[in-house]
Coordinates of all heavy atoms in Angstrom, one line a residue:
G1 N 12.6 6.0 -5.8 CA 11.7 6.5 -6.8 C 10.4 7.1 -6.2 O 10.2 7.0 -5.0
P2 N 9.5 7.6 -7.0 CA 8.3 8.2 -6.6 C 7.4 7.2 -5.9 O 6.7 7.5 -4.9 CB 7.6 8.8 -7.8 CG 8.4 8.2 -9.0 CD 9.7 7.8 -8.5
V3 N 7.4 5.9 -6.3 CA 6.5 4.9 -5.7 C 7.0 4.6 -4.3 O 6.3 4.6 -3.3 CB 6.4 3.6 -6.5 CG1 5.7 2.5 -5.8 CG2 5.7 3.9 -7.8
A4 N 8.3 4.4 -4.2 CA 8.9 4.1 -2.8 C 8.7 5.3 -1.9 O 8.4 5.1 -0.7 CB 10.4 3.8 -3.0
E5 N 8.8 6.5 -2.4 CA 8.6 7.7 -1.6 C 7.1 7.7 -1.1 O 6.8 8.0 0.0 CB 9.0 9.0 -2.3 CG 8.7 10.2 -1.5 CD 9.5 10.3 -0.2 OE1 10.5 9.7 -0.1 OE2 9.0 11.0 0.7
T6 N 6.2 7.4 -2.0 CA 4.8 7.4 -1.6 C 4.5 6.4 -0.5 O 3.8 6.7 0.4 CB 3.9 7.1 -2.9 OG1 4.2 8.1 -3.9 CG2 2.4 7.0 -2.6
F7 N 5.1 5.2 -0.6 CA 5.0 4.2 0.4 C 5.6 4.6 1.7 O 5.1 4.3 2.8 CB 5.4 2.8 0.0 CG 4.4 2.1 -0.8 CD1 4.3 2.1 -2.2 CD2 3.4 1.4 -0.1 CE1 3.3 1.5 -2.9 CE2 2.4 0.7 -0.8 CZ 2.4 0.8 -2.2
R8 N 6.7 5.4 1.7 CA 7.3 5.9 2.9 C 6.4 6.8 3.6 O 6.2 6.8 4.8 CB 8.6 6.6 2.6 CG 9.8 5.6 2.6 CD 11.1 6.4 2.6 NE 11.4 7.2 1.4 CZ 11.9 6.7 0.2 NH1 12.2 5.4 0.1 NH2 12.0 7.4 -0.8
V9 N 5.7 7.7 2.8 CA 4.7 8.6 3.4 C 3.5 7.9 4.0 O 3.1 8.2 5.1 CB 4.3 9.7 2.3 CG1 3.1 10.5 2.8 CG2 5.4 10.5 1.9
I10 N 3.0 6.9 3.3 CA 1.9 6.1 3.7 C 2.3 5.4 5.1 O 1.5 5.4 6.0 CB 1.5 5.0 2.7 CG1 0.8 5.7 1.5 CG2 0.5 4.0 3.3 CD1 0.7 4.9 0.2
Q11 N 3.4 4.8 5.1 CA 3.9 4.1 6.3 C 3.9 5.1 7.5 O 3.5 4.7 8.6 CB 5.2 3.4 6.1 CG 5.8 2.7 7.3 CD 5.0 1.4 7.7 OE1 4.8 0.6 6.8 NE2 4.7 1.3 8.9
G12 N 4.4 6.2 7.2 CA 4.6 7.2 8.3 C 3.2 7.8 8.8 O 3.2 8.3 9.9
A13 N 2.2 7.7 8.0 CA 0.9 8.2 8.3 C 0.0 7.2 9.0 O -1.1 7.5 9.5 CB 0.2 8.8 7.1
M14 N 0.4 6.0 9.1 CA -0.5 4.9 9.6 C -0.6 5.0 11.1 O 0.2 5.5 11.8 CB 0.2 3.5 9.3 CG -0.1 3.1 8.0 SD 0.5 1.4 7.8 CE 0.2 1.2 6.1
S15 N -1.8 4.6 11.6 CA -2.1 4.6 13.0 C -2.9 3.4 13.3 O -3.5 2.8 12.4 CB -2.8 5.9 13.4 OG -4.1 5.9 12.9
E16 N -3.0 3.1 14.6 CA -3.9 2.0 15.1 C -5.3 2.3 14.7 O -6.1 1.4 14.4 CB -3.8 1.8 16.6 CG -2.5 1.1 17.0 CD -2.4 -0.4 16.4 OE1 -3.5 -1.0 16.2 OE2 -1.3 -0.8 16.2
E17 N -5.7 3.6 14.7 CA -7.1 4.0 14.3 C -7.3 3.6 12.9 O -8.4 3.1 12.5 CB -7.3 5.5 14.5 CG -8.6 6.0 14.1 CD -9.8 5.5 15.0 OE1 -9.5 5.0 16.1 OE2 -10.9 5.5 14.5
H18 N -6.4 3.8 11.9 CA -6.6 3.4 10.5 C -6.8 1.9 10.4 O -7.6 1.5 9.7 CB -5.4 3.8 9.7 CG -5.2 5.3 9.5 ND1 -4.1 6.0 9.7 CD2 -6.1 6.2 9.0 CE1 -4.2 7.3 9.5 NE2 -5.5 7.4 9.1
V19 N -5.9 1.2 11.2 CA -6.1 -0.3 11.1 C -7.4 -0.7 11.7 O -8.1 -1.5 11.1 CB -4.9 -0.9 11.9 CG1 -5.1 -2.4 12.0 CG2 -3.6 -0.6 11.3
R20 N -7.8 -0.2 12.8 CA -9.1 -0.6 13.5 C -10.3 -0.3 12.6 O -11.2 -1.0 12.5 CB -9.2 0.2 14.8 CG -10.4 -0.2 15.7 CD -10.3 0.3 17.1 NE -10.0 1.7 17.2 CZ -8.7 2.1 17.6 NH1 -7.8 1.3 17.9 NH2 -8.5 3.4 17.7
T21 N -10.3 0.9 11.9 CA -11.4 1.3 11.1 C -11.4 0.7 9.7 O -12.5 0.6 9.1 CB -11.6 2.8 11.0 OG1 -10.4 3.3 10.4 CG2 -11.8 3.4 12.4
T22 N -10.3 0.4 9.1 CA -10.2 -0.1 7.8 C -10.3 -1.6 7.7 O -11.1 -2.2 6.9 CB -8.9 0.4 7.1 OG1 -8.9 1.8 7.2 CG2 -8.9 0.0 5.6
Q23 N -9.5 -2.3 8.4 CA -9.4 -3.8 8.4 C -9.3 -4.4 7.0 O -10.1 -5.2 6.6 CB -10.6 -4.4 9.1 CG -10.6 -4.2 10.6 CD -9.4 -5.0 11.2 OE1 -9.4 -6.2 11.2 NE2 -8.4 -4.3 11.8
G24 N -8.4 -3.9 6.2 CA -8.2 -4.4 4.8 C -6.7 -4.4 4.4 O -5.9 -3.6 5.0
V25 N -6.4 -5.3 3.5 CA -5.1 -5.4 3.0 C -5.2 -5.2 1.5 O -5.9 -5.8 0.8 CB -4.5 -6.8 3.3 CG1 -3.1 -6.9 2.6 CG2 -4.4 -7.0 4.8
F26 N -4.4 -4.2 1.0 CA -4.4 -3.8 -0.4 C -3.1 -4.1 -1.1 O -2.0 -3.7 -0.6 CB -4.7 -2.3 -0.5 CG -5.9 -1.9 0.2 CD1 -5.9 -1.5 1.6 CD2 -7.1 -1.9 -0.4 CE1 -7.0 -1.2 2.3 CE2 -8.3 -1.5 0.3 CZ -8.2 -1.2 1.6
Q27 N -3.1 -4.8 -2.2 CA -2.0 -5.2 -2.9 C -2.0 -4.4 -4.3 O -3.0 -4.4 -4.9 CB -1.9 -6.7 -3.2 CG -0.7 -7.2 -3.9 CD -0.7 -8.7 -3.9 OE1 -1.0 -9.4 -2.9 NE2 -0.4 -9.3 -5.1
F28 N -0.9 -3.9 -4.7 CA -0.8 -3.1 -5.9 C 0.2 -3.8 -6.8 O 1.4 -4.0 -6.5 CB -0.3 -1.7 -5.6 CG -1.2 -1.0 -4.7 CD1 -1.0 -1.0 -3.3 CD2 -2.3 -0.2 -5.2 CE1 -1.9 -0.3 -2.4 CE2 -3.1 0.5 -4.3 CZ -3.0 0.4 -3.0
E29 N -0.3 -4.2 -8.0 CA 0.6 -4.8 -9.0 C 0.9 -3.7 -10.0 O 0.0 -3.3 -10.8 CB -0.1 -6.0 -9.7 CG -0.4 -7.1 -8.8 CD 0.9 -7.8 -8.3 OE1 2.0 -7.7 -8.9 OE2 0.8 -8.5 -7.3
L30 N 2.1 -3.1 -9.9 CA 2.4 -1.9 -10.7 C 3.3 -2.2 -11.9 O 4.1 -3.1 -11.9 CB 3.2 -0.9 -9.8 CG 2.4 -0.4 -8.6 CD1 3.2 0.6 -7.8 CD2 1.0 0.1 -8.9
S31 N 3.0 -1.6 -13.0 CA 3.7 -1.7 -14.3 C 4.4 -0.4 -14.5 O 4.1 0.6 -13.9 CB 2.8 -2.1 -15.4 OG 1.8 -1.1 -15.6
G32 N 5.3 -0.3 -15.5 CA 5.9 0.9 -15.9 C 7.3 1.1 -15.2 O 8.0 0.1 -14.9
D33 N 7.7 2.4 -15.0 CA 9.0 2.7 -14.5 C 9.4 2.0 -13.1 O 10.5 1.6 -12.9 CB 9.2 4.2 -14.4 CG 9.2 4.9 -15.8 OD1 9.4 4.2 -16.8 OD2 9.0 6.1 -15.8
D34 N 8.4 2.0 -12.2 CA 8.6 1.4 -10.9 C 7.8 0.1 -10.7 O 7.0 0.0 -9.8 CB 8.2 2.4 -9.8 CG 9.2 3.6 -9.7 OD1 10.4 3.3 -9.8 OD2 8.8 4.7 -9.5
A35 N 7.9 -0.8 -11.7 CA 7.1 -2.0 -11.7 C 7.4 -2.9 -10.5 O 8.5 -2.9 -10.0 CB 7.3 -2.8 -13.0
G36 N 6.4 -3.6 -10.0 CA 6.6 -4.5 -8.9 C 5.3 -4.6 -8.1 O 4.3 -4.0 -8.4
T37 N 5.4 -5.4 -7.1 CA 4.3 -5.7 -6.2 C 4.6 -4.9 -4.9 O 5.6 -5.0 -4.3 CB 4.2 -7.2 -5.8 OG1 3.9 -7.9 -7.1 CG2 3.0 -7.4 -4.9
W38 N 3.6 -4.1 -4.5 CA 3.6 -3.3 -3.2 C 2.3 -3.6 -2.4 O 1.4 -4.1 -3.0 CB 3.7 -1.8 -3.6 CG 4.9 -1.5 -4.3 CD1 5.2 -1.7 -5.6 CD2 6.1 -0.8 -3.8 NE1 6.4 -1.2 -6.0 CE2 7.0 -0.6 -4.9 CE3 6.4 -0.3 -2.5 CZ2 8.2 0.0 -4.7 CZ3 7.7 0.3 -2.4 CH2 8.6 0.4 -3.4
Y39 N 2.3 -3.2 -1.2 CA 1.1 -3.5 -0.4 C 0.9 -2.4 0.7 O 1.9 -1.7 1.1 CB 1.2 -4.9 0.3 CG 2.2 -4.9 1.4 CD1 1.8 -4.7 2.7 CD2 3.5 -5.2 1.2 CE1 2.7 -4.7 3.8 CE2 4.4 -5.3 2.2 CZ 4.0 -5.0 3.5 OH 4.9 -5.0 4.5
I40 N -0.3 -2.3 1.2 CA -0.7 -1.6 2.4 C -1.5 -2.5 3.2 O -2.6 -3.0 2.8 CB -1.5 -0.3 2.0 CG1 -0.7 0.6 1.1 CG2 -1.9 0.4 3.3 CD1 -1.5 1.8 0.5
D41 N -1.0 -2.8 4.4 CA -1.7 -3.7 5.3 C -2.4 -2.9 6.4 O -1.7 -2.4 7.3 CB -0.7 -4.7 5.9 CG -1.3 -5.7 6.9 OD1 -2.5 -5.5 7.3 OD2 -0.6 -6.5 7.4
L42 N -3.7 -2.7 6.4 CA -4.4 -2.0 7.4 C -5.3 -3.0 8.1 O -6.5 -2.7 8.4 CB -5.2 -0.9 6.8 CG -4.4 0.3 6.2 CD1 -5.3 1.3 5.5 CD2 -3.7 1.0 7.4
K43 N -4.8 -4.2 8.3 CA -5.5 -5.3 9.1 C -4.7 -5.8 10.2 O -5.2 -6.1 11.3 CB -5.9 -6.4 8.1 CG -6.8 -7.5 8.7 CD -7.1 -8.6 7.7 CE -8.3 -8.2 6.9 NZ -8.8 -9.3 6.0
T44 N -3.4 -6.0 10.0 CA -2.5 -6.5 11.0 C -2.1 -5.5 12.0 O -1.9 -4.3 11.6 CB -1.2 -7.1 10.3 OG1 -1.6 -8.0 9.3 CG2 -0.3 -7.8 11.3
K45 N -2.0 -5.8 13.3 CA -1.7 -4.8 14.3 C -0.6 -3.9 13.9 O 0.5 -4.3 13.5 CB -1.3 -5.6 15.6 CG -1.1 -4.6 16.8 CD -1.0 -5.4 18.1 CE -0.6 -4.5 19.2 NZ -1.5 -3.4 19.4
G46 N -0.8 -2.6 14.0 CA 0.2 -1.6 13.7 C 0.2 -1.2 12.3 O 0.7 -0.1 11.9
G47 N -0.3 -2.1 11.4 CA -0.3 -1.8 10.0 C 1.1 -1.8 9.4 O 2.1 -1.6 10.1
S48 N 1.2 -1.9 8.1 CA 2.5 -1.8 7.4 C 2.3 -1.5 6.0 O 1.2 -1.7 5.4 CB 3.3 -3.1 7.6 OG 2.7 -4.2 7.0
A49 N 3.4 -1.1 5.3 CA 3.3 -0.8 3.9 C 4.7 -1.0 3.3 O 5.7 -0.8 4.0 CB 2.8 0.6 3.6
G50 N 4.8 -1.5 2.1 CA 6.1 -1.7 1.5 C 6.1 -2.5 0.2 O 5.1 -2.8 -0.4
F51 N 7.3 -2.8 -0.2 CA 7.5 -3.6 -1.4 C 7.3 -5.1 -1.1 O 7.7 -5.6 -0.1 CB 9.0 -3.3 -1.9 CG 9.3 -4.0 -3.2 CD1 8.8 -3.5 -4.4 CD2 10.0 -5.1 -3.2 CE1 9.0 -4.1 -5.6 CE2 10.3 -5.8 -4.4 CZ 9.8 -5.3 -5.6
G52 N 6.8 -5.8 -2.1 CA 6.6 -7.2 -2.0 C 5.2 -7.6 -1.7 O 4.3 -6.7 -1.7
K53 N 5.0 -8.8 -1.5 CA 3.6 -9.4 -1.1 C 3.3 -9.0 0.3 O 4.2 -8.9 1.2 CB 3.6 -10.9 -1.2 CG 3.9 -11.4 -2.6 CD 2.6 -11.5 -3.4 CE 2.9 -12.2 -4.8 NZ 1.7 -12.2 -5.6
P54 N 2.0 -8.7 0.6 CA 1.6 -8.4 2.0 C 1.9 -9.6 2.9 O 1.9 -10.8 2.4 CB 0.1 -8.1 1.9 CG -0.3 -8.7 0.6 CD 0.9 -8.8 -0.3
P55 N 2.0 -9.4 4.2 CA 2.2 -10.4 5.2 C 1.0 -11.4 5.3 O 1.2 -12.5 5.8 CB 2.6 -9.7 6.5 CG 2.0 -8.4 6.3 CD 2.0 -8.0 4.9
V56 N -0.1 -10.9 5.0 CA -1.3 -11.8 5.0 C -2.0 -11.6 3.7 O -1.7 -10.7 2.9 CB -2.3 -11.4 6.2 CG1 -1.7 -11.6 7.5 CG2 -2.8 -9.9 6.0
A57 N -3.0 -12.5 3.4 CA -3.7 -12.4 2.1 C -4.3 -11.1 1.8 O -5.0 -10.5 2.7 CB -4.7 -13.6 2.0
A58 N -4.2 -10.6 0.6 CA -4.8 -9.3 0.2 C -6.3 -9.4 0.1 O -6.8 -10.4 -0.4 CB -4.2 -8.8 -1.1
D59 N -7.0 -8.4 0.5 CA -8.5 -8.3 0.3 C -8.8 -7.7 -1.0 O -9.8 -8.0 -1.6 CB -9.1 -7.5 1.4 CG -8.9 -8.1 2.8 OD1 -9.4 -9.2 3.0 OD2 -8.3 -7.4 3.7
V60 N -7.9 -6.9 -1.5 CA -8.1 -6.2 -2.8 C -6.7 -6.2 -3.5 O -5.7 -5.9 -2.9 CB -8.5 -4.7 -2.5 CG1 -8.6 -3.9 -3.8 CG2 -9.8 -4.6 -1.8
V61 N -6.7 -6.5 -4.8 CA -5.5 -6.4 -5.6 C -5.8 -5.5 -6.8 O -6.8 -5.6 -7.5 CB -5.1 -7.8 -6.2 CG1 -3.9 -7.7 -7.1 CG2 -4.9 -8.8 -5.0
M62 N -5.0 -4.5 -6.9 CA -5.2 -3.5 -8.0 C -4.0 -3.5 -8.9 O -2.9 -3.5 -8.4 CB -5.3 -2.1 -7.4 CG -6.6 -1.9 -6.6 SD -6.7 -0.2 -6.0 CE -6.5 -0.5 -4.2
S63 N -4.3 -3.5 -10.2 CA -3.2 -3.4 -11.2 C -3.3 -2.1 -11.9 O -4.4 -1.7 -12.4 CB -3.4 -4.6 -12.2 OG -3.3 -5.8 -11.6
M64 N -2.2 -1.4 -12.0 CA -2.1 -0.1 -12.6 C -0.7 0.2 -12.9 O 0.2 -0.4 -12.4 CB -2.8 1.0 -11.7 CG -2.0 1.2 -10.4 SD -2.9 2.4 -9.3 CE -4.2 1.4 -8.8
S65 N -0.5 1.3 -13.7 CA 0.9 1.8 -13.9 C 1.4 2.5 -12.7 O 0.6 3.0 -11.9 CB 0.9 2.7 -15.1 OG 0.3 4.0 -14.8
S66 N 2.7 2.5 -12.5 CA 3.3 3.2 -11.4 C 3.0 4.7 -11.4 O 2.7 5.3 -10.4 CB 4.8 2.9 -11.3 OG 5.4 3.3 -12.5
A67 N 2.9 5.2 -12.6 CA 2.5 6.7 -12.8 C 1.1 6.9 -12.3 O 0.9 7.9 -11.5 CB 2.7 7.1 -14.2
D68 N 0.2 6.1 -12.6 CA -1.2 6.2 -12.1 C -1.3 6.1 -10.6 O -2.0 6.8 -9.9 CB -2.2 5.3 -12.8 CG -2.5 5.7 -14.3 OD1 -2.2 6.8 -14.6 OD2 -3.0 4.8 -15.0
F69 N -0.5 5.1 -10.1 CA -0.5 4.9 -8.6 C 0.0 6.2 -7.9 O -0.7 6.7 -7.0 CB 0.5 3.8 -8.2 CG 0.7 3.7 -6.8 CD1 -0.3 3.0 -6.0 CD2 1.7 4.3 -6.1 CE1 -0.1 2.9 -4.6 CE2 1.9 4.2 -4.8 CZ 1.0 3.5 -4.0
V70 N 1.0 6.8 -8.4 CA 1.5 8.0 -7.8 C 0.5 9.2 -7.9 O 0.2 9.9 -6.9 CB 2.9 8.5 -8.4 CG1 3.3 9.8 -7.9 CG2 4.0 7.4 -8.0
K71 N -0.1 9.3 -9.0 CA -1.2 10.3 -9.2 C -2.3 10.1 -8.2 O -2.9 11.0 -7.7 CB -1.7 10.3 -10.6 CG -0.8 10.8 -11.7 CD -1.4 10.7 -13.0 CE -0.4 11.0 -14.1 NZ -1.0 10.6 -15.5
M72 N -2.7 8.8 -8.0 CA -3.8 8.5 -7.2 C -3.6 8.9 -5.7 O -4.5 9.3 -5.0 CB -4.1 6.9 -7.2 CG -5.3 6.5 -6.4 SD -5.7 4.8 -6.7 CE -4.6 3.9 -5.7
F73 N -2.3 8.7 -5.3 CA -2.0 9.0 -3.9 C -1.5 10.5 -3.7 O -1.3 10.9 -2.5 CB -1.0 8.0 -3.3 CG -1.7 6.8 -2.9 CD1 -1.8 5.7 -3.8 CD2 -2.2 6.7 -1.6 CE1 -2.5 4.5 -3.4 CE2 -2.8 5.5 -1.2 CZ -3.0 4.5 -2.1
T74 N -1.3 11.2 -4.7 CA -0.9 12.6 -4.6 C -2.1 13.5 -4.9 O -2.5 14.4 -4.2 CB 0.3 13.0 -5.4 OG1 0.0 12.7 -6.8 CG2 1.5 12.3 -5.0

């Protein structure tokens, strides 16, 4: 779906520079067509993004519709 595709793009764009400069973990609680928990980890070495809870505690938790999430990242 569009949310999974957005996270594939985010994962592919990550770099050590992003991790070094951001140092944050973002958790997204999405509702709607692609409901679920997703994350972007820009704190742990190498960074990661995907479905489920982040590997470490989130610094920021955002709740929104999956449609709004896709709009925000496109």
Side-chain angles (χ1 to χ4, degrees):
V3 170
E5 179 60 26
T6 301
F7 275 94
R8 276 193 291 278
V9 170
I10 291 167
Q11 179 70 48
M14 281 189 185
S15 70
E16 283 297 332
E17 178 66 17
H18 290 128
V19 174
R20 187 169 43 257
T21 59
T22 306
Q23 287 296 296
V25 178
F26 306 89
Q27 181 173 318
F28 301 89
E29 296 295 339
L30 303 182
S31 58
D33 293 340
D34 289 318
T37 300
W38 296 78
Y39 72 92
I40 300 171
D41 177 357
L42 292 172
K43 187 180 269 187
T44 306
K45 183 168 176 57
S48 62
F51 183 76
K53 297 270 186 187
V56 295
D59 297 300
V60 176
V61 178
M62 291 181 253
S63 299
M64 65 186 72
S65 73
S66 57
D68 286 344
F69 172 84
V70 172
K71 287 178 194 171
M72 184 171 79
F73 278 91
T74 55

